[in-house]
Amino acid sequence: MRWFLLALLIIPALEIGVFIWLGDYIGPWSVVLLIILTGFAGVSLARHQGYETLLEARKLIAQRQVPTLPIIAAVCIFIGAALLIVPGFITDLIGLLLLMPFTRRLFSYWVYRFIEKKINKGNIIYYD
């Protein structure tokens, strides 16, 4: 929780610094246009990646398997899309990493292993 609050303070300050620096470099209207374009690109990419993830989950369900990794990937896609819609270039970079299939698979696997370790330690309890 402390890390989240710290990020809530630091990331907006860094975003403002990037806006000012980039505004001096390419101009303020170009920065505004770039922010709008990344928002639209994020929605488009999230929609495409979300559809592919849905197809993958349906395929696993048809094989009578639990679609654990596609569910985690869907959460990554949702968070990535939200970060791309939020104005800012640092959040756009993080959102793009969550939407790209290769990096999303790595992150999804890392989250899966983290949850699995918590379940094995007894920190997370689930019922069948």
Side-chain angles (χ1 to χ4, degrees):
M1 188 65 166
R2 285 180 273 173
W3 291 106
F4 180 72
L5 292 175
L6 188 62
L8 212 58
L9 294 172
I10 292 176
I11 291 176
L14 290 173
E15 294 285 9
I16 291 170
V18 171
F19 285 150
I20 292 170
W21 174 78
L22 201 57
D24 285 342
Y25 190 71
I26 65 172
W29 291 111
S30 298
V31 170
V32 170
L33 182 65
L34 199 55
I35 290 169
I36 292 169
L37 287 175
T38 58
F40 283 120
V43 169
S44 176
L45 185 60
R47 186 175 180 200
H48 177 69
Q49 293 298 316
Y51 183 71
E52 286 183 2
T53 303
L54 177 65
L55 292 178
E56 183 181 345
R58 284 182 177 174
K59 186 173 86 173
L60 287 173
I61 290 170
Q63 297 171 354
R64 299 212 180 264
Q65 295 178 357
V66 178
T68 308
L69 286 175
I71 290 171
I72 294 171
V75 171
C76 291
I77 291 168
F78 177 76
I79 293 170
L83 288 173
L84 276 168
I85 292 171
V86 171
F89 296 110
I90 297 169
T91 54
D92 286 351
L93 178 64
I94 296 168
L96 189 62
L97 289 174
L98 286 172
L99 287 178
M100 300 305 285
F102 177 72
T103 53
R104 185 180 64 244
R105 276 189 215 107
L106 291 174
F107 186 74
S108 297
Y109 184 72
W110 178 79
V111 170
Y112 178 79
R113 298 292 298 164
F114 176 78
I115 292 171
E116 188 177 53
K117 286 179 185 177
K118 291 289 185 179
I119 288 172
N120 291 336
K121 286 183 180 179
N123 295 342
I124 297 175
I125 300 171
Y126 71 96
Y127 300 101
D128 285 332

